[in-house]
Amino acid sequence: MLYQNILKPLFFKMDPEKAHHVVIGGLHTASKIPGMIPMLRGMYHVKETEDLAVDLFGLRFPTPIGLAAGLDKNAIAVEGFSAIGFGFMEVGTVTPKGQPGNDSPRLFRLTPDEALINRMGFNNEGAEAMARQFARYRERKIPVAINIGKNKATPNEQAFADYQSCIRTLYQYADFFVVNISSPNTPDLRNLQHGNELRELLQAVTEEMDLQRKRHSDSDKAVLVKIAPDVNDAELEYMIVTIQESGVSGIIATNTTITRDGTTHPNAKETGGLSGKPLRERSTEVIRRIYRQTEGKLPIIGSGGVFSARDAYEKIRAGASLVEIYTALIYEGPGINREVHRGLRELLQRDGFRHISEAVGADVRGH
């Protein structure tokens, strides 16, 4: 109620990017004020339950609902987000060198559509700055993935070196990595999803991960690939084959879309990636296709248009083992985590599943 009645009206009167910085900065500041993180946990923390806790990628996810990349680009609010009920989170997208991103304005609300359009362009302070930020954290409450990308000035034929550089700089801090080749806001980035470019990139990434694992005498860390929803069936099928053959650990489906289906707000004319409710059905369909093609053998994190327990459950039954939210946090506030957790437990019980893993892919398997 605090968010819906007081904070959201204030934030929605601000420029969207300014409101974004206020939230991230506020969570960062809260971590430095004694008593603030426990207070946030008291208000929004989601208690782990045996039916929804997930063991995957060698990690324990206390809840299946995570925060997608894009909100905490520089990993400055990890403690704050960890306190408000997420089971995991992504930080980034981070690039080897800091860069300002695209010109403002670059973030737009489509309020009646419960959607956002962004063309941020991987604005971030760079991998070294993120490493310094992680070095300040004493403990990790939830798994944190680092989402990595290439600098805008780096040509695609050299992109592999940027991804390797991020892994080298940040390996010791990530619980797992996400290779972002699907943002529509970096020129030509999405071309890395196809053909030999994808195969060569993932080979370079896995080689660097192996090198760092040996250097740090560490256990294997998972690498996932984040894909776009704007691919045809043949492209998706080939992409999945290439990802499977690469030996990476899983897929995040999906990133934002460049289509504007289901939108009514004038801001739909803005260029950039659309997130939120209009993306829900397409992202779920991509999840379903991946699960069917891989026979459920490649873990999927579902992302796109999750605003309720039913939305999350739909993606889980389509084949997602974990689910992420982004736009819903802006529109619904941090209370959404408790609501989704409670609703998922009720849906599992309704369908006779004792654990969330039993529901993964149930619609594809015909259960």
Side-chain angles (χ1 to χ4, degrees):
M1 297 301 289
L2 169 67
Y3 183 82
Q4 289 292 340
N5 294 337
I6 299 173
L7 296 178
K8 182 180 175 181
L10 287 174
F11 290 148
F12 274 54
K13 287 178 182 177
M14 296 180 190
D15 168 78
E17 188 169 352
K18 182 179 179 182
H20 171 102
H21 289 307
V22 168
V23 171
I24 300 301
L27 286 172
H28 173 64
T29 301
S31 66
K32 297 182 175 183
I33 300 173
M36 284 298 294
I37 294 299
M39 187 183 79
L40 286 173
R41 287 179 64 82
M43 293 172 66
Y44 298 114
H45 177 65
V46 175
K47 185 179 179 181
E48 179 177 332
T49 60
E50 197 56 42
D51 53 351
L52 289 185
V54 176
D55 293 307
L56 192 64
F57 311 129
L59 300 166
R60 177 77 168 183
F61 297 84
T63 85
I65 305 300
L67 177 68
L71 274 176
D72 192 0
K73 293 179 179 292
N74 298 301
I76 68 168
V78 170
E79 291 173 320
F81 281 118
S82 298
I84 60 173
F86 287 107
F88 66 101
M89 67 180 291
E90 286 186 70
V91 297
T93 298
V94 64
T95 54
K97 299 174 183 176
Q99 58 182 27
N102 297 322
D103 293 338
S104 296
R106 53 192 182 176
L107 183 61
F108 307 89
R109 300 186 191 99
L110 288 70
T111 306
D113 304 317
E114 294 185 278
L116 298 170
I117 289 174
N118 92 82
R119 51 172 181 260
M120 306 297 283
F122 288 175
N123 57 308
N124 74 103
E125 295 175 1
E128 293 285 355
M130 182 177 282
R132 290 192 296 271
Q133 185 60 46
F134 270 109
R136 298 187 184 105
Y137 294 131
R138 296 178 182 176
E139 59 178 336
R140 195 77 55 81
K141 295 288 187 184
I142 58 174
V144 179
I146 298 179
N147 185 300
I148 57 176
K150 80 173 187 72
N151 280 112
K152 183 177 181 179
T154 303
N156 273 12
E157 56 268 25
Q158 294 297 318
F160 73 93
D162 277 12
Y163 289 92
Q164 288 181 320
S165 175
C166 288
I167 291 167
R168 277 195 300 275
T169 304
L170 293 161
Y171 183 86
Q172 64 182 307
Y173 301 112
D175 289 309
F176 61 104
F177 283 95
V178 177
V179 176
N180 189 346
I181 49 173
S182 51
S183 169
N185 302 317
T186 295
D188 300 324
L189 181 74
R190 286 189 168 192
N191 291 337
L192 293 173
Q193 295 182 116
H194 307 297
N196 286 332
E197 286 189 273
L198 176 60
R199 180 175 289 104
E200 291 169 3
L201 172 63
L202 295 183
Q203 181 179 347
V205 165
T206 53
E207 286 175 356
E208 187 63 38
M209 289 294 292
D210 287 342
L211 188 65
Q212 295 304 316
R213 176 178 54 81
K214 292 172 184 174
R215 182 169 295 166
H216 290 271
S217 300
D218 207 343
S219 57
D220 284 338
K221 291 188 178 185
V223 176
L224 282 74
V225 181
K226 190 167 191 175
I227 66 172
D230 308 314
V231 291
N232 62 41
D233 292 348
E235 289 171 333
L236 180 61
E237 184 176 341
Y238 183 79
M239 194 187 308
I240 295 167
V241 169
T242 304
I243 291 171
Q244 269 195 297
E245 290 176 348
S246 74
V248 301
S249 309
I251 293 178
I252 297 185
T254 63
N255 211 320
T256 56
T257 179
I258 56 174
T259 68
R260 298 295 184 260
D261 298 343
T263 59
T264 60
H265 195 277
N267 279 343
K269 71 181 187 300
E270 298 289 348
T271 58
L274 175 79
S275 63
K277 282 193 173 180
L279 180 58
R280 179 177 61 84
E281 289 186 15
R282 176 56 185 166
S283 65
T284 303
E285 176 58 26
V286 172
I287 292 165
R288 189 177 292 112
R289 288 180 178 274
I290 296 169
Y291 187 88
R292 184 178 293 122
Q293 184 176 331
T294 63
E295 298 179 335
K297 295 174 183 175
L298 191 66
I300 304 164
I301 297 180
S303 183
V306 174
F307 274 68
S308 68
R310 286 187 177 276
D311 296 338
Y313 195 53
E314 185 179 64
K315 283 177 165 48
I316 291 162
R317 289 187 63 104
S321 295
L322 300 166
V323 177
E324 291 179 338
I325 65 173
Y326 175 98
T327 306
L329 185 66
I330 309 301
Y331 281 93
E332 303 295 328
I336 189 173
N337 284 319
R338 278 186 178 170
E339 291 176 20
V340 171
H341 192 271
R342 181 173 58 249
L344 278 176
R345 298 193 75 195
E346 292 171 357
L347 290 165
L348 287 179
Q349 188 174 24
R350 181 199 70 184
D351 291 347
F353 296 124
R354 291 170 296 177
H355 189 267
I356 186 174
S357 60
E358 298 173 13
V360 174
D363 287 345
V364 179
R365 292 182 280 108
H367 285 198

